[in-house]
Amino acid sequence: MGASHGIAEGKAYLLARKKTKFSKRYVAQEHVDKEIRRVQEALEKSKADLRKIKETLTHEDVHEHLFILDSHLMILEDPMLVDSVSEIITLERKNAEWALLTAFDNLKRVFNGSENEYLRERKSDFDYLCNWILKHLAGRGEESLQHINDKVVLVSHYLSPAETAQMDREKVIGFVTDLGGKTSHTAILARAMKIPAVVGAEKATQEINAGDRIILDGIEGLVVVNPTRETLDHYRNRKVQYGNLERDLLKARDLPAETLEGKRIQLTANIEMVEEANSVLEYGAEGIGLYRTEFLCLSQGRIPCEEEHFQVYRSVVERVAPYPVNIRTFDFGSDKSPDIASLRQERNPALGLRSIRYCLREPEIFKDQLRAILRASHYGKLRILFPMVSGLSELEKAKAIYEEAKEEVREKGQPYDPNVEIGIMVEVPSAALIADVLAKEVDFFSVGTNDLIQYCMAIDRVNKEVAYLYEPLHPSILRILKFVVEAGHAAGIRVGMCGEMASDLRYLFVLLGFGFDQLSMVSSMIPWVKRIIRSSRHEEAKSLVEMLLATKHGKENEMTLSTWIQEKYPDLSDAVLCGYPGSLGSSRKGISDYSGEPSDDLHERKAVPACFRVRSKGLCKGD
Ligand code: PEP
Ligand code: MG
């Protein structure tokens, strides 16, 4: 996976590190205290390491992300950690290493089941920390990056965020790791520090030898080992082109996302964690279209109190001001950790007591959240989004509780915006089919295609056996989208989309054709989506939609769409259809408003060997 954009070329530097090995032993009663002391000492050393690293980090790019190290320190300093390890040693008589691993495994379990990539990868932070302490238990610290003297591409089994933050950018020009994911803190830091990176390469440390020449493509998620002269030249050219393209795209950051005829679409970001709010404006987001607040509970393992909610929402709103933030009320239940929402295990959780249903059942919990949102509304522009609404009576009940919350805030004399807009997620077919009725009761719609398609096609969205039925262009879905947009517009309200369909470049023309007012997505996709919108014609997209609505099969529509894109937008088709945003052409007239030269590397891409172009993710040895 490409974790941080950019291309690096250099010599491989291998960090010889594997998971720290240790034996699992039971200890005798008389050794229990000694084992506990060993853990305490190792913990102290690890904390001291982290504090020292923090002190040495002065560069401002990294400074903004010091919260990552703070959160690591908080985990190590939490008395619960040492208590639970001590308890395991005492009760289960496991040796220090084994007890430590057990305690971290327990912590990780909370995150493991999450469908959310960001949260799943929080467990990698526990892995780093556990490994760090294990190293001290084994009597040695982590191999340092300090003695790297040349410019190198670092190759390692894993890299902790703390190490990444310490990297000297003059020397480490890129890195590849066997482990890791795109939204791990290590990847977040690599992006902040603009170090190209590929993570999750699985066998990089086995396939690459120290001193090998490496090309690392952080955009495609590709590592080429000992490339030929031709490949080297190709990537050198490409590096220049990427640089131009990125500069172009970022220059367009403040330009509107509008079609060639001037039809404007608002592009906003989806976030799960408060810290993501920092970077959304850098990508040109005009606010946050979906803040999934349930992750606040999932990351803490409990439902926060009103004050905690308030602090978080206020901070998000202030970070994004003057742009708006759509705060979605809790959508937990189903696959999002029922334990935490104190929900019973259900036979059919996706159809069970989730989301707004749970909130209506637990009005006090719901009201805590609503009061906090209202209080945060004083500090910026904020809107409320109710998830999983299935009909009018649910919406009426939710609004009644909202009115009570408002009254309570008012009675306490706390400042709030009395005109906070209320919207609903349109993600349950029953709601979609009465969109004309619901539109009269709210200020905006946000279509959640992840659930809408799940419920409409009767397929579990996390079950890969039925994933083939997940067809955004199925005639039923297209009809629903058309109906929802038209119903919303007839009532004079905005209609947006925040499901994954909104960030899939293939479907962009379809959404344009339907007339969506807002598209919300992972922020890094915004520059690419904007580029395509600014190169397209709304009228053409409308005719495309007419054509698709006339067909009977979703699969047929996929083919029709591909052909249409290739014919109408040949210079965009490579990027749109192959999911390779690095190759966006510029068919937009007046592209000079991005300044710099248009970056059309389509011609060059044709010269690239097939192994690099078609599903080129992974390692290509000796190309
Ligand atoms: C959706 O269902 O499309 C959506 C955006 O909500 P979530 O993915 O959080 O269920
Ligand atoms: Mg949903």
Side-chain angles (χ1 to χ4, degrees), residues 290 292 328 331 336 354-355 387-388 425 427 448-452 454-455 461 498:
L290 172 64
R292 292 178 160 107
R328 185 174 73 178
D331 183 28
K336 292 177 204 162
R354 61 173 290 203
S355 200
M388 278 284 288
M425 297 279 299
E427 53 184 347
T449 44
N450 309 341
D451 277 315
L452 182 63
Q454 150 166 275
Y455 294 126
R461 67 193 247 192
C498 60

Side-chain angles (χ1 to χ4, degrees), residues 144-161:
S144 154
L145 309 184
Q146 299 307 320
H147 43 254
I148 297 178
N149 293 320
D150 294 337
K151 271 188 189 304
V152 295
V153 174
L154 201 65
V155 182
S156 181
H157 190 57
Y158 65 88
L159 277 170
S160 71

